[in-house]
Amino acid sequence: MDLNYSDEEQAFRAEVRAFLAENLPAEVSDKVRRGISLGKEGHEKWHATLNARGWLAYNWPREFGGAEWNAVQRHIFEEECAAAYAPRIVPFGLSMLAPVLQKFGSKAQQDHYLPRILSGEDWWCQGYSEPGAGSDLASLKTRAVRDGDHYVVNGQKTWTTLGQYANWIFCLVRTDPEAKQQEGISFLLIDMNSPGITVRPIVLLDGTPEVNEVFFDDVRVPVENLVGEENKGWTYAKYLLTHERTNIAGVGFSQAGLDAVKRIARIETANGRPLVENPHFAARLAQVEIDLMAMATTNMRIISQAASGQAPGVESSMLKVKGTIIRQEINDLTRRAVGPYAMPFASEAVEGDNAPIGPEYAGPVAAHYFNNRKLSIFGGSNEIQRGIIAKVKMGG
Ligand SMILES: Cc1cc2nc3c(=O)[nH]c(=O)nc-3n(C[C@H](O)[C@H](O)[C@H](O)COP(=O)(O)OP(=O)(O)OC[C@H]3O[C@@H](n4cnc5c(N)ncnc54)[C@H](O)[C@@H]3O)c2cc1C
């Protein structure tokens, strides 16, 4: 097996790098590097830049306007974007809802919603979790009752990432309370501007209001907003989650993070020696690099399987667990490398005139460290993923 990049792949990498050099404004990459929020407008601009180049929906089939890149192209693109500190592509419409609509949505839904995801006209958020229904998602209680040609929705979703920017939410709702838990759930598309919806922010450990609570109070939703069949939502929800988990692996982010921590560890410390000469630190650094290389290969294998039509199965759980452990280990090594300078975790401390204390590269470290605690929780916690892996692989 030849693991080197082909000439064609090297040329593709050069093309991506040139595109980023020309189209990614320095003030945007600087914000990303320092962990400063881009706001809605900042994300929308980057979304439009990629869409204009035809590189936004790189995981979509061509028939829906995607670039249909292979696993190596995706890997190269993600690696280059992370290394250049490009904004992350907001995944809710593009990588979560779109695969569901492409597989299970009606032609009318595909024709209506997919182009609007590409154009950025619609910003989607994910309404799965509820208070009391996170890991045990199938126990969700948000109720949708049929009333003529509408559903009437009542209940609450929580941890809704960037819901404050969204004009649409895809929701799991209970349509049959008598059926077995998983069998009474439907997948509904809800306009966030509908009367009866209230969005309330939740502030995270890093000081940012990245997630929200969303309340539904007699919200009327047209029946044509049901995806697939009523009470079959659990099947679609699981399909979406396998895509979500594979994306969370974040190989490119880890590679960029690893490069950054290596740079910091080579800087001379107060005792005249760089941290990388400390055997304990060097061993951890080497281990995480080995783990990352192994995971990058697994990631490509799973993406290629998915591209050939097989939905990623239990492998997406493996990627999620391993990928998030690696990202958190890199965060931890970076935090240790900057020592007491990893203090200004609140966004105010790295914005405006509030210059961080210590070297400039230490500024965003604590914010990233605290924010990325979420990685082992969302998309189904790592404990839950381990349970899935054990059940599928060991019949537990
Ligand atoms: C920053 C952030 C963003 C999020 N964004 C979204 C979003 O946009 N949309 C959305 O729908 N959801 C979102 N979530 C919710 C996320 O999916 C849930 O937090 C997650 O599924 C865990 O559910 P929970 O918080 O209710 O914890 P719980 O389910 O109460 O779990 C608490 C702890 O118990 C452990 N545990 C629970 N059951 C088991 C078990 N059977 N075996 C072993 N351990 C177990 C868990 O691993 C966890 O450590 C987000 C969460 C975070 C933190």
Side-chain angles (χ1 to χ4, degrees):
M1 184 164 66
D2 182 4
L3 290 180
N4 292 316
Y5 289 109
S6 67
D7 290 347
E8 228 174 57
E9 287 159 356
Q10 303 271 30
F12 177 70
R13 186 183 288 281
E15 195 185 348
V16 173
R17 211 170 270 184
F19 169 81
L20 290 169
E22 204 170 305
N23 293 282
L24 177 62
E27 69 268 19
V28 174
S29 57
D30 190 52
K31 274 189 173 177
V32 174
R33 188 178 55 77
R34 296 170 65 205
I36 297 171
S37 163
L38 292 181
K40 188 177 187 203
E41 205 186 319
H43 282 290
E44 283 175 340
K45 273 192 184 151
W46 185 237
H47 184 105
T49 304
L50 290 177
N51 193 36
R53 181 65 182 79
W55 285 359
L56 180 66
Y58 57 80
N59 52 344
W60 290 16
R62 288 221 173 80
E63 61 171 303
F64 294 114
E68 209 176 311
W69 283 345
N70 64 32
V72 179
Q73 286 174 306
R74 290 182 201 197
H75 174 76
I76 291 173
F77 182 72
E78 285 163 13
E79 202 173 58
E80 289 299 320
C81 284
Y85 293 103
R88 80 171 181 140
I89 301 176
V90 179
F92 303 105
L94 272 164
S95 320
M96 294 194 200
L97 178 64
V100 171
L101 290 181
Q102 287 161 6
K103 194 165 169 76
F104 303 106
S106 66
K107 173 88 172 59
Q109 287 170 339
Q110 292 170 351
D111 290 347
H112 179 74
Y113 293 111
L114 295 175
R116 293 166 64 99
I117 291 174
L118 286 180
S119 68
E121 215 167 331
D122 290 340
W123 182 308
W124 286 88
C125 61
Q126 179 186 26
Y128 274 26
S129 308
E130 298 180 4
S135 300
D136 185 15
L137 186 59
S139 68
L140 62 92
K141 292 194 170 53
T142 294
R143 188 79 169 90
V145 178
R146 185 79 184 255
D147 177 24
D149 54 3
H150 282 76
Y151 289 100
V152 180
V153 179
N154 280 286
Q156 184 197 339
K157 295 293 172 182
T158 192
W159 306 119
T160 320
T161 302
L162 301 181
Q164 70 270 37
Y165 299 153
N167 58 335
W168 283 87
I169 180 167
F170 52 87
C171 275
L172 294 181
V173 291
R174 187 157 301 282
T175 33
D176 183 354
E178 308 303 327
K180 254 175 63 188
Q181 271 193 342
Q182 282 90 341
E183 288 163 17
I185 293 172
S186 299
F187 194 107
L188 216 51
L189 311 176
I190 305 181
D191 184 342
M192 289 285 275
N193 294 315
S194 313
I197 294 189
T198 311
V199 179
R200 241 192 252 159
I202 304 173
V203 176
L204 293 182
L205 277 174
D206 67 350
T208 59
E210 189 180 293
V211 295
N212 300 270
E213 296 177 287
V214 181
F215 299 87
F216 299 85
D217 190 7
D218 284 335
V219 176
R220 295 186 70 78
V221 181
V223 287
E224 60 262 27
N225 291 13
L226 175 76
V227 175
E229 288 177 52
E230 193 177 86
N231 297 328
K232 291 276 175 0
W234 190 249
T235 306
Y236 318 141
K238 281 195 302 182
Y239 180 76
L240 181 149
L241 280 171
T242 56
H243 283 269
E244 178 179 0
R245 284 173 196 148
T246 315
N247 290 327
I248 294 173
V251 176
F253 293 117
S254 286
Q255 192 57 58
L258 185 64
D259 292 344
V261 70
K262 279 181 174 173
R263 276 196 302 274
I264 297 171
R266 286 194 194 106
I267 297 169
E268 204 167 273
T269 58
N271 70 9
R273 295 176 63 185
L275 188 60
V276 77
E277 288 182 12
N278 173 314
H280 179 61
F281 192 87
R284 275 182 72 178
L285 208 52
Q287 186 60 55
V288 79
E289 183 156 15
I290 293 165
D291 288 350
L292 179 57
M293 284 168 78
M295 197 197 56
T297 312
T298 310
N299 193 43
M300 278 209 260
R301 182 166 54 78
I302 292 168
I303 293 173
S304 350
Q305 280 169 2
S308 65
Q310 299 169 38
V314 69
E315 293 82 2
S316 66
S317 298
M318 297 177 183
L319 276 182
K320 201 254 159 174
V321 173
K322 198 69 194 169
T324 55
I325 290 174
I326 290 173
R327 283 175 76 180
Q328 290 180 338
E329 168 70 352
I330 291 170
N331 286 146
D332 192 43
L333 286 172
T334 316
R335 184 181 63 80
R336 282 166 190 274
V338 303
Y341 297 123
M343 291 291 281
F345 67 87
S347 53
E348 290 82 1
V350 289
E351 283 176 19
D353 296 331
N354 304 316
I357 306 160
E360 201 257 356
Y361 58 76
V365 168
H368 284 155
Y369 176 85
F370 281 113
N371 189 275
N372 279 347
R373 296 300 91 200
K374 70 188 177 190
L375 296 175
S376 43
I377 304 172
F378 67 23
S381 76
N382 284 10
E383 290 77 25
I384 293 294
Q385 301 316 308
R386 288 189 182 98
I388 294 173
I389 296 165
K391 202 168 168 191
V392 175
K393 291 289 179 197
M394 293 179 251

